[in-house]
Amino acid sequence: MQNVILSIAKQAIKDGLEHTSTIDTNALLKHYPEFSKPKATFVTLTLDGQLRGCIGSLIAHRPFLDDLIYNAKAAAFDDPRFYPLSSEEFLHVSIEVSLLSAPESVEYSDTTDLKSKITVGEDGIILQKGARKATFLPQVWEQLPTFELFFSHLCQKAGLDAHCLESHPDISRYRVKKVK
């Protein structure tokens, strides 16, 4: 199944480059009925060890197959941090798909309490304060390995002060199954 997921993501990007639509969704749904169930996915592209695109869904709101195809194309062509992936880059890009669990709200009284409820290295985090919202996949712990670093960068990603935990934002956590 992991090879199928990666080949679909790769073909979706190739279709985007070539302006084609070659994925036989009906055949895939017939062979893999789990693709018809709602699933939240993130697609992360890396080139020479550097992030090249990452787009996904936090909540399962459409069938797994549709979410995967959409997010693969969006990571390649619509991530606002990067220019669209070129045909040359496509030959060398690495693709990782993250399959997300449903997020669960984390109730906490203060930063120390929150720290005791977060599993460093395993939890993906959604942070929200008012209209500002950001997430980091669990893989981000590899670059930001401490609770303090991880959350200060996540606060900034949401457009908030690096010490935004002091203002008690809403926190949710999720886990991912990585496919690469």
Side-chain angles (χ1 to χ4, degrees):
M1 183 67 173
Q2 293 197 355
N3 289 341
V4 174
I5 291 168
L6 285 176
S7 67
I8 291 168
K10 189 172 190 170
Q11 190 59 50
I13 295 169
K14 188 175 184 207
D15 281 350
L17 283 167
E18 298 174 352
H19 307 291
T20 58
S21 182
T22 63
I23 297 172
D24 188 344
T25 54
N26 290 332
L28 284 165
L29 291 170
K30 187 175 178 183
H31 284 88
Y32 305 98
E34 57 269 37
F35 277 133
S36 66
K37 295 181 177 72
K39 188 77 182 157
T41 68
F42 261 78
V43 177
T44 304
L45 307 178
T46 52
L47 192 61
D48 301 324
Q50 298 294 310
L51 182 66
R52 184 56 183 84
C54 183
I55 298 284
S57 306
L58 291 170
I59 306 292
H61 66 283
R62 59 183 159 210
F64 181 0
L65 184 60
D66 295 344
D67 203 64
L68 177 60
I69 292 169
Y70 179 88
N71 290 331
K73 287 181 178 179
F77 308 114
D78 299 326
D79 187 325
R81 298 169 291 183
F82 302 97
Y83 52 87
L85 192 74
S86 70
S87 297
E88 175 61 29
E89 289 173 313
F90 176 68
L91 300 174
H92 306 286
V93 78
S94 296
I95 301 170
E96 179 177 286
V97 177
S98 297
L99 310 177
L100 280 65
S101 69
E104 62 176 36
S105 182
V106 179
E107 300 301 322
Y108 66 102
S109 56
D110 58 24
T111 303
T112 303
D113 185 36
L114 178 63
K115 191 173 183 176
S116 74
K117 295 178 177 181
I118 299 299
T119 305
V120 171
E122 293 184 25
D123 287 334
I125 302 294
I126 303 165
L127 179 146
Q128 185 166 3
K129 183 77 174 170
R132 300 194 178 272
K133 183 177 185 177
T135 191
F136 276 157
L137 295 170
Q139 295 89 312
V140 175
W141 290 106
E142 295 166 19
Q143 286 87 45
L144 304 170
T146 67
F147 177 91
E148 292 75 16
L149 265 176
F150 186 92
F151 274 92
S152 69
H153 281 79
L154 184 57
C155 287
Q156 291 172 323
K157 183 180 179 188
L160 301 165
D161 178 81
H163 304 290
C164 79
L165 289 182
E166 295 166 9
S167 64
H168 207 87
D170 293 331
I171 302 289
S172 297
R173 68 178 166 216
Y174 57 87
R175 296 285 173 97
V176 303
K177 179 181 176 201
K178 291 191 284 188
V179 179
K180 57 183 186 174

